[in-house]
Amino acid sequence: MRRMIDLVREAKKVEERAERDYRKLLKELDKPEYADLRGLILRLAIDTAFHKRLMEALEKAYNDAIKLVEEYAVEKPNEDFALIPGVPTMVMPLGFGPIGARIPPEEIIEEYLKDFPTEVVLPDTEEKLIEILRKYAEEEEQMKELYEELSRRAFHPVVRELVKELKRNEEQHESLVKGLVEKYSKD
């Protein structure tokens, strides 16, 4: 089974090749009788440029996610514990059969992305943490509003749908963070 990052890289290469081919053809379609075909090929080239850049962004985001997992969610060579995917607050000692085995970062990312954690417990004495969460809730609302406006103004159908899903994801973030603030606020 191919990894997600391999599929993204392959898609990016195909889009790059297609864009080069479309550009080459557009240079050859310089006579008036090719106007209709030129319009079609130009549209395909524009779509391909968007797709290529989206694949580049996905590749960069995926690499950033791997770095985050490696930095914060896998065992460290100088520590004797590992965070278990899906149970980030549970610490297990290394060296006991499969639990001590290195979990590939791709599997950890997949596990984290399955569901949002809904049961988050905060210490009662962390008022400073509540203030930070309030700030995050405001930022999530700003992002949601920005993506809403972008979804209304996006001119490319793929970008429009992508932005709609980003907005939906930000709505989930906002709901979770606001829920924590409400649950643990003392006022």
Side-chain angles (χ1 to χ4, degrees):
M1 188 167 80
R2 292 192 294 177
R3 299 178 313 155
M4 161 96 171
I5 189 67
D6 296 331
L7 295 171
V8 168
R9 288 178 180 149
E10 184 177 336
K12 184 179 80 168
K13 285 179 187 176
V14 170
E15 297 290 355
E16 288 170 344
R17 187 172 53 247
E19 184 181 19
R20 280 192 307 272
D21 292 345
Y22 290 143
R23 286 174 181 268
K24 182 180 175 185
L25 182 58
L26 282 167
K27 288 177 185 175
E28 295 173 13
L29 299 174
D30 58 354
K31 295 183 180 156
E33 61 264 27
Y34 296 129
D36 289 344
L37 181 57
R38 185 179 173 88
L40 172 65
I41 300 302
L42 181 58
R43 170 58 197 261
L44 294 174
I46 290 168
D47 285 355
T48 302
F50 273 99
H51 300 170
K52 177 186 77 172
R53 294 299 182 189
L54 288 169
M55 290 304 105
E56 288 173 353
L58 280 175
E59 180 181 32
K60 185 172 178 2
Y62 192 85
N63 288 332
D64 289 349
I66 292 289
K67 288 177 188 172
L68 282 166
V69 165
E70 288 175 342
E71 186 173 351
Y72 296 106
V74 297
E75 64 272 9
K76 305 287 190 270
N78 60 348
E79 297 175 1
D80 59 352
F81 65 88
L83 295 175
I84 306 303
V87 192
T89 57
M90 185 174 178
V91 178
M92 302 284 292
L94 294 175
F96 296 105
I99 291 178
R102 177 159 168 73
I103 301 167
E106 293 87 6
E107 289 181 24
I108 294 172
I109 291 171
E110 187 178 325
E111 192 67 34
Y112 274 103
L113 294 179
K114 280 182 181 175
D115 293 307
F116 277 105
T118 54
E119 294 300 319
V120 177
V121 178
L122 299 179
D124 289 335
T125 58
E126 287 295 330
E127 190 58 37
K128 182 179 178 183
L129 190 54
I130 298 298
E131 287 306 311
I132 292 169
L133 289 173
R134 277 192 180 103
K135 180 181 166 232
Y136 288 169
E138 290 171 12
E139 290 172 350
E140 294 295 341
E141 185 159 348
Q142 283 179 311
M143 287 185 272
K144 181 185 75 174
E145 290 169 4
L146 177 63
Y147 286 128
E148 173 63 33
E149 183 176 352
L150 281 171
S151 72
R152 287 192 310 269
R153 300 183 71 193
F155 49 87
H156 192 281
V158 172
V159 174
R160 187 174 33 251
E161 290 305 312
L162 177 69
V163 174
K164 283 180 183 177
E165 286 303 310
L166 288 169
K167 177 187 166 252
R168 191 177 70 76
N169 193 235
E170 292 301 340
E171 289 169 344
Q172 291 173 320
H173 295 178
E174 180 189 27
S175 173
L176 289 167
V177 174
K178 281 185 174 178
L180 278 174
V181 169
E182 289 171 11
K183 182 176 179 178
Y184 290 101
S185 287
K186 294 179 179 167
D187 29 274

